[in-house]
Amino acid sequence: AALALLGGSVAALVVWKWLGRKMIQKKMEEARRTRDEGMKKMARAVQQFREQVPSVQTDAILSLPLLELTGRLQEGSLSPRTVLYTYLEKALEVTQQTNCLRHFIPECEEQLQEIQRHKEKGLLYGIPVSIKDHIGHKGHLATCGLVRCLGTLVEEDSVLVKVLKRQGAIPFAMTNVPQSLFSYDCSNPIFGRTLNPLNPQKSPGGSSGGEGALIAGGGSVLGIGSDVAGSIRLPSSFCGLCGLKPTAERLRRVGWCLAHPSAQCGFLLWSHPVPCAVGPMARDVDSLALCMKALLCQEMFQLDPTVPPIPFNEQVYSSSSPLRVGYYDTDGYFPLPPCMRRAVQETRRALQAAGHQLVRFSPPRIPYVMTELFLKAFYADGGRAWLDVFTGDIVDPGLKSQVNSCKMPRLVKKLLALLLKPLVTIPPLLKDVAVISTCRSVKEVWNHHHQIQVYRSQFITRWKELQLDVVLCPVLGPAFTTGYPGKLLTAISSTMLYNVLNFPAGVVPVSSVTEADEEELKLYQGCCDDPWDRRLKQAVSGAVGLPVAVQCVALPWQEELCLRFMKEVETLSRDK
């Protein structure tokens, strides 16, 4: 009888799990069907516009930099309607190639009518803007790639969307993201994998990967992403774009609708001492500056009192005075491919030749920052809060190794750490999330917060001692082959450092991978020639012609100086 009861219970459990999985599949299929119907609706609208206005010079409009495009729209030589439908058509083409869009925003046609009723034209008048999946837009989903978020529509525009609209912008598309946003690849079980438009074998990066792919493919002129470990800067690096991660509080939380289920991901990103930042992505630095100038307005400060009322300082951005620039081409934790170090050295020489003062700078204790400060912030509870967001969901293949690591019992993790230790030449270089220590008490959590503040203070002291204005340093790249970001979580040390420090940091493309770089890569051994170093080598191989970028950094609240430095780097790279 006991065996029969046990057998019945097991059978019931199997059936219950099967039914649950069928329900998940049904929800995902419905979400995909809704997306596809939205695409078809937009395609019909574009076709209708094409029939009404057959003589549009599409390529000429798409090639205009944002500043020129805004000028043409402000003076009236281009109409917002023409620009919107031109970008809608191009976005449809790009997403067919890359799967970068999660959804079109049909209300863009209403916003088109609305801006023409305004007495004053905002700074972004008539500009189509794409936004990352989780940035709240009224009447739409904010999914974070999770099934649990599919049933609830956002009830009102987030502050960021409200301000964009007030400045005359037209949000027209929401872009794809990796599941839970905790990845620098771009894939989720609902909407699938996004590809890099420059090479479909490569990832666009993440978590703002849909934005990266859409803008790099020419389907958007300005996008909004978010960054907690490089999620704006890595897609910018992989896709050859400019991207800015501001000081987190400069545009604090303005993308999130905190009453929505997706806010659980937001809670994970905002409630620990390494904060998430919202920022712009575009094809050039002037576009980023214009976006920041538009967002940092009275409307923003009134709608969100937690945003400090500091308008954009045009004088700092426009300055041409020589800069004192700290630089390094490796952080001593995860040595980057030869082309990324070459980019820093070439940029250093160009800056020096242009009259700037260059000073060697070494960021202190990166292995400690990576394992004890950054990763411990995310996995302080052993990853349990993060695992909760996957309840009733299918885990994306790219996240399975991280999820499985978090599910391991603490004793198993300790044993694994002992077994892995002989593979690592330098003990602090623990490159697997399975061996990250957790905070075992509230006192340890508070101590961890304190350690981050102490490190920030020490870093700023070193910066001040050298009297630096800005820092030039590498960024992870070139674009990884799809699937590899999930196997190399700890390769993001170059970007994560400035999330821990909460410094503004931006990425500028300056070169491309050469045949010589590819040959030199064959000799790459990383730090220890360990399995992670060899994996990195595999991830970036076959990248000839893909963009190579550098990272530009300033002290907190100095976004304008960071952008001014980025502009200088951009100008010098184009003059080569």
Side-chain angles (χ1 to χ4, degrees):
L3 281 172
L5 185 63
L6 181 62
S9 299
V10 169
L13 183 63
V14 168
V15 170
W16 180 76
K17 281 194 169 184
W18 180 81
L19 287 171
R21 204 166 184 83
K22 288 289 282 183
M23 184 65 73
I24 291 169
Q25 292 287 357
K26 189 179 177 184
K27 285 182 179 179
M28 293 198 300
E29 284 166 13
E30 192 176 321
R32 286 192 286 267
R33 189 164 53 250
T34 302
R35 178 186 66 166
D36 293 345
E37 285 168 2
M39 301 277 186
K40 287 172 186 172
K41 183 180 177 184
M42 283 298 113
R44 286 194 297 270
V46 167
Q47 182 61 34
Q48 190 177 356
F49 171 76
R50 275 276 174 215
E51 289 165 3
Q52 292 169 355
V53 190
S55 59
V56 173
Q57 294 180 307
T58 301
D59 291 344
I61 292 170
L62 294 172
S63 66
L64 287 174
L66 180 62
L67 260 62
E68 283 187 47
L69 184 59
T70 53
R72 297 279 297 274
L73 285 160
Q74 296 276 355
E75 72 186 19
S77 61
L78 270 179
S79 75
R81 185 167 179 254
T82 298
V83 173
L84 173 64
Y85 282 101
T86 298
Y87 269 99
L88 281 171
E89 184 176 31
K90 185 63 178 178
L92 278 164
E93 180 190 315
V94 176
T95 199
Q96 282 166 6
Q97 297 163 356
T98 64
N99 188 40
C100 59
L101 290 188
R102 199 214 75 206
H103 203 63
F104 273 113
I105 300 172
E107 293 87 349
C108 64
E109 293 174 310
E110 293 171 23
Q111 175 64 4
L112 180 64
Q113 304 304 318
E114 180 64 28
I115 63 168
Q116 290 167 335
R117 287 195 287 269
H118 289 179
K119 289 180 182 176
E120 289 185 23
K121 294 178 179 177
L123 290 175
L124 296 174
Y125 174 76
I127 297 296
V129 175
S130 50
I131 57 177
K132 190 174 178 178
D133 163 279
H134 68 77
I135 292 170
H137 190 292
K138 184 179 178 180
H140 289 271
L141 297 168
T143 73
C144 300
L146 295 162
V147 171
R148 67 186 297 157
C149 299
L150 290 178
T152 312
L153 298 177
V154 173
E155 291 183 3
E156 67 170 321
D157 287 339
S158 58
V159 171
L160 185 136
V161 168
K162 286 177 181 175
V163 176
L164 284 171
K165 287 181 175 179
R166 188 57 63 95
Q167 286 286 15
I170 305 174
F172 75 103
M174 307 187 84
T175 51
N176 202 28
V177 292
Q179 190 178 30
S180 82
L181 309 182
F182 275 59
S183 170
Y184 64 100
D185 208 341
C186 193
S187 174
N188 65 72
I190 308 166
F191 303 108
R193 176 178 293 284
T194 298
L195 304 175
N196 191 316
L198 309 178
N199 182 335
Q201 270 72 53
K202 297 290 182 177
S203 169
S207 60
S208 309
E211 282 301 318
L214 181 62
I215 300 166
S220 177
V221 71
L222 178 65
I224 305 294
S226 60
D227 189 312
V228 76
S231 292
I232 286 172
R233 291 162 291 158
L234 294 173
S236 297
S237 171
F238 286 17
C239 294
L241 303 173
C242 297
L244 175 71
K245 178 204 80 70
T247 311
E249 294 80 6
R250 193 84 193 256
L251 295 172
R252 186 176 177 82
R253 300 193 193 194
V254 293
W256 292 92
C257 292
L258 296 179
H260 191 267
S262 65
Q264 184 166 355
C265 286
F267 174 76
L268 291 172
L269 295 173
W270 286 105
S271 60
H272 58 69
V274 180
C276 181
V278 174
M281 298 167 67
R283 296 194 293 250
D284 56 53
V285 178
D286 278 339
S287 301
L288 306 181
L290 178 62
C291 184
M292 291 298 289
K293 187 177 180 180
L295 290 174
L296 296 171
C297 62
Q298 283 306 311
E299 181 82 5
M300 171 73 79
F301 308 142
Q302 287 165 8
L303 285 170
D304 189 346
T306 68
V307 174
I310 309 170
F312 188 82
N313 190 328
E314 185 66 43
Q315 190 177 347
V316 172
Y317 179 60
S318 303
S319 170
S320 57
S321 56
L323 296 168
R324 188 170 166 88
V325 182
Y327 74 92
Y328 61 92
D329 65 5
T330 181
D331 62 16
Y333 180 78
F334 222 119
L336 297 181
C339 61
M340 308 313 287
R341 299 179 73 169
R342 170 178 65 78
V344 172
Q345 292 300 339
E346 287 179 355
T347 305
R348 173 187 68 81
R349 288 192 289 271
L351 286 164
Q352 227 159 3
H356 301 283
Q357 194 174 0
L358 276 290
V359 181
R360 188 173 286 280
F361 177 70
S362 296
R365 299 187 295 154
I366 300 301
Y368 162 77
V369 180
M370 190 69 193
T371 54
E372 289 301 312
L373 300 186
F374 178 74
L375 290 172
K376 204 169 180 176
F378 279 94
Y379 298 102
D381 62 349
R384 283 190 292 275
W386 180 58
L387 287 176
D388 284 348
V389 305
F390 296 101
T391 304
D393 219 318
I394 294 169
V395 177
D396 190 81
L399 289 174
K400 277 187 178 172
S401 61
Q402 286 167 250
V403 168
N404 291 338
S405 294
C406 290
K407 285 180 175 177
M408 284 182 194
R410 188 175 292 171
L411 181 61
V412 175
K413 286 184 183 181
K414 285 186 176 181
L415 287 170
L416 190 59
L418 286 171
L419 291 169
L420 284 174
K421 211 167 188 180
L423 295 176
V424 184
T425 311
I426 307 167
L429 295 185
L430 299 175
K431 296 178 181 176
D432 195 302
V433 294
V435 298
I436 296 161
S437 58
T438 58
C439 294
R440 286 169 292 182
S441 66
V442 173
K443 185 179 179 181
E444 275 194 40
V445 172
W446 287 121
N447 185 49
H448 178 254
H449 284 231
H450 174 68
Q451 286 169 349
I452 289 176
Q453 296 302 328
V454 168
Y455 181 79
R456 283 176 181 157
S457 178
Q458 290 170 348
F459 195 100
I460 290 169
T461 298
R462 183 174 290 194
W463 184 299
K464 291 289 189 184
E465 283 170 354
L466 293 173
Q467 298 179 310
L468 303 178
D469 295 313
V470 289
V471 160
L472 170 73
C473 57
V475 61
L476 183 62
F480 279 23
T481 299
T482 53
Y484 273 91
K487 302 171 186 175
L488 284 161
L489 175 66
T490 51
I492 57 171
S493 59
S494 60
T495 49
M496 96 42 235
L497 173 63
Y498 297 104
N499 294 91
V500 171
L501 291 166
N502 197 13
F503 286 15
V507 161
V508 184
V510 295
S511 182
S512 57
V513 180
T514 64
E515 294 283 359
D517 291 327
E518 199 77 3
E519 284 300 310
E520 200 175 341
L521 180 65
K522 292 174 183 175
L523 305 174
Y524 171 90
Q525 292 188 327
C527 182
C528 320
D529 198 24
D530 62 21
W532 292 273
D533 292 324
R534 290 193 287 275
R535 206 173 285 161
L536 180 71
K537 188 174 175 177
Q538 294 163 1
V540 299
S541 65
V544 172
L546 290 181
V548 171
V550 295
Q551 187 171 206
C552 303
V553 186
L555 289 172
W557 306 105
Q558 295 188 9
E559 281 70 24
E560 296 87 344
L561 180 59
C562 185
L563 286 163
R564 184 255 146 130
F565 180 40
M566 290 169 69
K567 177 69 176 173
E568 183 77 4
V569 167
E570 178 185 61
T571 302
L572 292 171
S573 73
R574 290 178 176 180
D575 290 345
K576 281 195 292 188

